Amino acid sequence: MIKMDPSIYRLRDEDEIISPALIYYKDLLLENVDRTIALAGDTERLWPHLKSHKSADFLKVLMEKGIRKFKCATIAEAEMAADVGAEKLILAYPLIGPNIRRFGELVLRFPGTEFFAIADDAGQMQLLHEEAVAKGILVNLLIDINTGLDRTGIRPEKAMELFHLSDSLSGIRICGMHVYDGHRHESAPEDRNARTREDMKEVLKLKTEAEAAGYDCSLMVMGGTPSFPCHQPEEGAFLSPGTCLIQDYGYASGFEDLEFPIAAMLLTRVVSHPAPGVFTLDLGCKAVATDPPIPRAVVAGYEDCETLMQNEEHLVLRMPKGREEERPAIGTCLYAAPWHICPTTALYPEILVAQKGVITDIWNVTARNRKITI
């Protein structure tokens, strides 16, 4: 458990803010962006993921820092990024159903952005080929490699089949590989690095084999927030962190070596004292992501409180034994760090942006929905 300083997050105008509210702290965001660039070595190696924030406004901040290439998970996120001028964009999610057609529409509508799809299946590649031929476009493709997460991707030893398949599919151009190792959650950096390097042995072997057969593997996009520093020494590797640009309590407490400050908080209020030492916040399932197990949010200054329950509109906490009388009064504004920021941000239509203790801007969560126009 890490301790957070509530004074860093407290807003002078908190009494004017309806709770629960999502707050991004811009100075801390900028600190995280600078640290990400420093760990990567330069902006050219970065392909950060947009799913953590889904905001065109934050995307513009990243572009002002010199980051021009991005990853995303939805067509809406891709459209948002292309609309603000992203140079290159990987849609790092299997394209199925109407999304095959929608991807083709993206390529046609935004000729200034170079799009890349991923694939781990022959049937999917066939559909992308048919879409490319029908629209007269070229589909840039990365083979999605599974190094052990077992969520998407093809195992390295089977991937040459897809490289060879591309020879017979016009309109498809393989450009490299996408390697997301979201299972690398070792808390000790030396263990994380060792396991990452072990996972990569088969990927690098595949790269050598594919290049020897004449296939382009110049674009190797690797890692997430915990593992991208492990991939940094790999020559030619591009790095795709996401969460660390904002940072949440889950990653901050699990990977203290990365030293990214938590730059997003949920402003919440105490609404009830239902039992001795117990207090209830207006921070239910509709206000903070529920994909992690309890605790789903940790209150600054009250990190050692126990979560008793969470419902749609309520989060019930209990003070530690011996500190029951220290529970916050009804009506008190508190600041809670979400355990997982990415799906939490998607619960809000807008982000309140704070600097020097006051709200200075409002950013729309532009790609909150799965469709913008395409």
Side-chain angles (χ1 to χ4, degrees):
M1 176 182 294
I2 62 169
K3 297 286 187 178
M4 298 173 286
D5 182 356
S7 67
I8 294 174
Y9 302 105
R10 190 167 296 121
L11 301 175
R12 296 198 296 274
D13 50 355
E14 63 184 18
D15 289 342
E16 304 300 318
I17 299 172
I18 299 170
S19 61
L22 174 63
I23 317 292
Y24 277 13
Y25 295 80
K26 191 170 183 180
D27 291 338
L28 296 178
L29 291 177
L30 293 173
E31 182 178 339
N32 286 340
V33 174
D34 289 342
R35 178 155 182 78
T36 301
I37 293 170
L39 286 173
D42 61 65
T43 58
E44 288 302 310
R45 298 192 67 186
L46 282 170
W47 291 68
H49 211 309
L50 304 177
K51 69 178 177 63
S52 300
H53 58 87
K54 299 176 182 286
S55 168
D57 295 292
F58 188 35
L59 182 57
K60 292 173 185 176
V61 170
L62 297 174
M63 294 177 70
E64 288 169 1
K65 286 284 190 176
I67 302 171
R68 314 292 296 187
K69 303 183 291 290
F70 303 94
K71 266 175 53 171
C72 65
T74 69
I75 298 290
E77 292 168 7
E79 181 179 348
M80 174 191 77
D83 195 49
V84 298
E87 291 180 0
K88 297 178 186 290
L89 192 64
I90 299 170
L91 212 162
Y93 197 87
L95 292 170
I96 57 170
N99 285 346
I100 298 280
R101 171 186 54 78
R102 296 172 74 204
F103 183 81
E105 291 296 325
L106 276 173
V107 174
L108 288 174
R109 186 178 298 188
F110 297 100
T113 297
E114 188 175 11
F115 293 94
F116 299 81
I118 66 168
D120 63 7
D121 176 74
Q124 181 193 22
M125 288 176 61
Q126 175 68 31
L127 291 174
L128 285 168
H129 149 72
E130 292 172 5
E131 176 69 11
V133 171
K135 283 190 166 63
I137 61 174
L138 178 66
V139 173
N140 297 314
L141 195 65
L142 302 180
I143 303 299
D144 190 27
I145 302 297
N146 175 15
T147 60
L149 179 59
D150 293 342
R151 189 175 70 182
T152 68
I154 188 170
R155 289 288 187 173
E157 63 271 18
K158 295 182 177 181
M160 279 305 298
E161 299 170 10
L162 299 185
F163 280 96
H164 292 314
L165 175 62
S166 69
D167 293 336
S168 62
L169 299 178
S170 58
I172 298 288
R173 178 176 67 185
I174 291 183
C175 304
M177 301 179 219
H178 173 255
V179 187
Y180 176 64
D181 48 5
H183 57 301
R184 291 276 68 93
H185 276 187
E186 294 80 11
S187 58
E190 59 274 16
D191 293 341
R192 198 182 325 133
N193 186 66
R195 296 296 298 274
T196 300
R197 302 318 307 155
E198 185 65 28
D199 289 344
M200 286 302 298
K201 287 181 179 178
E202 289 301 312
V203 177
L204 296 177
K205 178 182 176 183
L206 169 63
K207 180 176 184 288
T208 298
E209 181 182 357
E211 288 179 333
Y215 296 105
D216 181 10
C217 289
S218 57
L219 183 52
M220 302 288 291
V221 181
M222 304 176 182
T225 289
S227 65
F228 86 93
C230 305
H231 291 290
Q232 196 276 343
E234 182 66 47
E235 184 178 356
F238 294 92
L239 313 171
S240 56
T243 300
C244 62
L245 297 171
I246 309 165
Q247 192 62 323
D248 52 29
Y249 197 88
Y251 274 6
S253 59
F255 309 105
E256 295 184 33
D257 58 295
L258 298 181
E259 297 181 345
F260 290 93
I262 296 171
M265 282 280 171
L266 300 169
L267 186 149
T268 180
R269 286 182 171 89
V270 180
V271 299
S272 182
H273 286 170
V278 175
F279 61 101
T280 301
L281 303 176
D282 56 354
L283 204 62
C285 299
K286 294 177 179 178
V288 63
T290 58
D291 59 324
I294 287 174
R296 291 162 178 159
V298 179
V299 180
Y302 295 87
E303 293 88 353
D304 51 358
C305 286
E306 178 188 3
T307 299
L308 299 182
M309 73 173 81
Q310 186 185 37
N311 306 122
E312 287 185 64
E313 306 289 354
H314 307 84
L315 181 66
V316 184
L317 304 177
R318 179 165 55 200
M319 293 294 297
K321 188 175 181 180
R323 291 181 51 202
E324 290 87 353
E325 299 305 315
E326 297 177 27
R327 69 178 173 180
I330 292 175
T332 301
C333 282
L334 299 174
Y335 296 83
W339 197 273
H340 192 184
I341 184 58
C342 310
T344 296
T345 294
L347 295 173
Y348 292 83
E350 60 186 25
I351 302 162
L352 305 183
V353 181
Q355 283 188 285
K356 302 187 187 313
V358 296
I359 300 301
T360 58
D361 205 352
I362 298 176
W363 292 348
N364 289 325
V365 185
T366 318
R368 182 188 184 203
N369 297 325
R370 291 188 176 274
K371 177 182 176 182
I372 299 178
T373 66
I374 294 176

